Amino acid sequence: MALTLFDTDEYRPPVWKSYLYQLQQEAPHPRRITCTREVENRPKYYGREFHGMISREETDQLLSVAEGSYLIRESQRQPGTYTLALRFGSQTRNFRLYYDGKHFVGEKRFESVHDLLTSLVRRATLKENEQIPKYEKVHNFKVHTFRGPHWCEYCANFMWGLIAQGVKCADCGLNVHKQCSKMVPNDCKPDLKHVKKVYSCDLTTLVKAHTTKRPMVVDMCIREIESRGLSSEGLYRVSGFSDLIEDVKMAFDRDGEKADISVNMYEDINIITGALKLYFRDLPIPLITYDAYPKFIESAKIMDPDEQLETLHEALRQLPPAHCETLRYLMAHLKRVTLHEKENLMSAENLGIVFGPTLMRSPELDPMAALNDIRYQRLVVELLIKNEDILF
């Protein structure tokens, strides 16, 4: 079998940018804010970036021009000590600055303030990206047989063999060697043509494939419920006919946002609430993820209300963006459900009983440990509903 040769000018296999290189490229460049007036007693080792003894408020105003802006000022409380003020992440960060022949903030010393700033900016960029996950979704790699010559999109080398030459991401279509797949960052950007269903599909995958903030099934069901069901007795507690709930599921899988869930198709609102609960139960990774689960359970066990809310805040920060946004939207809806408690008899406590096991699944394999968590799952959802306006 003859292989087709490609002109090197026409074919250029994609080369992966490393994570750290990308971060360095995205980091803001240090931008000196020069002082236009003469400053008395300026230290000889500082240049026009030294502004003398100015207040924090004046510093903030001077640095507000751009990310990476910096200046040096003398402390008003401790004359003779100097602070390096840097604009990063839309806020001013202050560093106690020292000089012993070289400039330094921590242990490492630099020939110039600019070199020191470059190091600080890169370090701050890496720290920011440690706190907020840079990549939200792992690739869904499957062994694949490619037709014709194929190159790995990670290492740019040829994929040898006639069958099963490498793996392909079922969600975004990325093609790589099997060995390279272990080194690819979790930066899958799902393509709608690869995502064939709505239910049982990873939440982040669905959101990214449809370029929406939340899964369309959540938005559509909640809109329908709020338009005609808020006063329905036992809303979310009363079960709908399971065959019809399965019909709604198939309609979403088949038609996506064009699915018809109106009163003309499903008169019983409990069919729609059942379909929404089923969506959350079918998620391969629960809305409150396995990683964040322990922190949420911990918050439910705390007795002090302020400490409890602070721990819940920390737990919410551990959720991927799509999960957090969907949870916020759902809790705001459930809060509106409780405003009709006199008619629907559904309090935050009752909704917690319904939604606790629906939104949270214990990562523990021990059934007794998971069983013990049920009361805390209920309490977590109840707290999220009652404090929705504070937490989100």
Side-chain angles (χ1 to χ4, degrees):
M1 183 180 73
L3 289 176
T4 305
L5 294 175
F6 292 90
D7 188 287
T8 53
D9 289 334
E10 292 179 10
Y11 179 76
R12 297 196 179 202
V15 179
W16 203 271
K17 277 187 179 181
S18 75
Y19 175 46
L20 290 176
Y21 176 73
Q22 232 173 334
L23 285 183
Q24 288 180 2
Q25 292 299 103
E26 292 167 5
H29 295 289
R31 178 174 173 175
R32 182 173 73 162
I33 302 297
T34 57
C35 183
T36 55
R37 59 185 174 81
E38 287 302 319
V39 180
E40 292 183 9
N41 302 320
R42 178 199 304 273
K44 61 181 180 180
Y45 40 85
Y46 296 137
R48 303 293 293 186
E49 69 273 6
F50 183 76
H51 286 248
M53 198 176 284
I54 59 172
S55 66
R56 283 178 175 263
E57 292 75 18
E58 191 177 348
T59 302
D60 284 338
Q61 191 173 359
L62 289 167
L63 295 181
S64 63
V65 292
E67 284 282 285
S69 299
Y70 73 92
L71 58 80
I72 297 172
R73 63 184 179 85
E74 186 174 3
S75 172
Q76 291 180 319
R77 293 180 181 176
Q78 295 178 285
T81 62
Y82 304 103
T83 299
L84 176 63
L86 166 67
R87 185 75 173 178
F88 186 89
S90 301
Q91 60 180 320
T92 300
R93 305 192 181 196
N94 294 286
F95 303 90
R96 182 76 175 271
L97 191 56
Y98 301 93
Y99 182 80
D100 63 355
K102 290 187 177 181
H103 305 275
F104 63 101
V105 167
E107 294 179 0
K108 197 170 181 182
R109 285 156 169 74
F110 298 86
E111 295 291 344
S112 70
V113 171
H114 187 274
D115 290 342
L116 169 60
L117 254 296
T118 302
S119 174
L120 286 175
V121 166
R122 286 181 180 172
R123 197 167 71 194
T125 303
L126 287 168
K127 198 170 181 182
E128 287 282 309
N129 281 272
E130 284 171 10
Q131 293 170 357
I132 303 167
K134 179 71 178 174
Y135 300 123
E136 298 168 21
K137 179 175 163 8
V138 297
H139 289 274
N140 182 16
F141 286 121
K142 309 280 185 188
V143 175
H144 190 78
T145 296
F146 298 95
R147 295 180 182 178
H150 234 83
W151 280 261
C152 173
E153 294 180 47
Y154 180 81
C155 70
N157 288 319
F158 186 69
M159 290 184 178
W160 295 98
L162 298 176
I163 61 169
Q165 305 97 320
V167 293
K168 184 185 189 79
C169 177
D171 296 333
C172 72
L174 182 73
N175 307 314
V176 295
H177 289 112
K178 188 176 180 181
Q179 284 300 109
C180 289
S181 69
K182 299 170 185 176
M183 297 177 281
V184 173
N186 300 332
D187 63 344
C188 179
K189 298 175 179 61
D191 190 326
L192 197 53
K193 68 184 178 185
H194 297 291
V195 179
K196 304 296 184 186
K197 58 184 178 180
V198 172
Y199 278 69
S200 304
C201 177
D202 173 67
L203 190 150
T204 301
T205 300
L206 189 68
V207 166
K208 285 183 170 292
H210 287 267
T211 59
T212 56
K213 292 168 69 177
R214 299 173 297 273
M216 96 289 283
V217 61
V218 175
D219 279 15
M220 290 174 66
C221 286
I222 285 178
R223 278 199 301 268
E224 195 64 30
I225 293 161
E226 294 194 351
S227 69
R228 59 185 173 99
L230 286 177
S231 299
S232 178
E233 186 176 328
L235 189 69
Y236 286 114
R237 181 174 52 80
V238 176
S239 298
F241 191 45
S242 58
D243 283 358
L244 291 177
I245 291 173
E246 199 64 29
D247 281 350
V248 175
K249 172 183 174 177
M250 287 190 292
F252 274 116
D253 280 343
R254 183 183 62 247
D255 305 323
E257 57 195 24
K258 294 180 181 177
D260 184 1
I261 59 170
S262 67
V263 67
N264 298 326
M265 284 294 291
Y266 306 100
E267 187 178 351
D268 183 5
I269 196 63
N270 297 310
I271 304 299
I272 310 304
T273 59
L276 181 60
K277 289 187 291 181
L278 180 61
Y279 171 75
F280 288 120
R281 283 199 301 273
D282 277 0
L283 285 174
I285 299 173
L287 186 60
I288 291 176
T289 61
Y290 294 122
D291 288 343
Y293 182 93
K295 199 70 177 178
F296 278 95
I297 294 297
E298 179 191 332
S299 71
K301 296 178 179 179
I302 295 171
M303 301 305 294
D304 180 71
D306 291 335
E307 188 182 344
Q308 189 174 58
L309 285 180
E310 182 58 38
T311 306
L312 264 179
H313 262 299
E314 291 174 20
L316 287 168
R317 283 197 289 270
Q318 292 182 16
L319 293 177
H323 284 250
C324 191
E325 168 57 24
T326 303
L327 184 64
R328 180 200 67 76
Y329 190 74
L330 177 64
M331 291 304 114
H333 161 65
L334 295 182
K335 184 75 168 280
R336 290 190 287 273
V337 170
T338 64
L339 298 178
H340 296 260
E341 184 183 346
K342 287 184 179 178
E343 299 88 39
N344 61 37
L345 307 181
M346 294 304 288
S347 62
E349 184 179 359
N350 290 339
L351 289 168
I353 293 169
V354 172
F355 276 95
T358 302
L359 304 182
M360 305 178 71
R361 296 200 292 275
S362 173
E364 287 283 344
L365 297 176
D366 180 7
M368 284 307 296
L371 196 63
N372 289 334
D373 280 355
I374 288 177
R375 58 184 173 140
Y376 297 117
Q377 293 172 355
R378 169 193 64 76
L379 187 55
V380 165
V381 175
E382 184 182 340
L383 287 166
L384 288 170
I385 295 170
K386 288 181 175 178
N387 299 286
E388 170 267 331
D389 54 337
I390 300 170
L391 290 168
F392 296 97

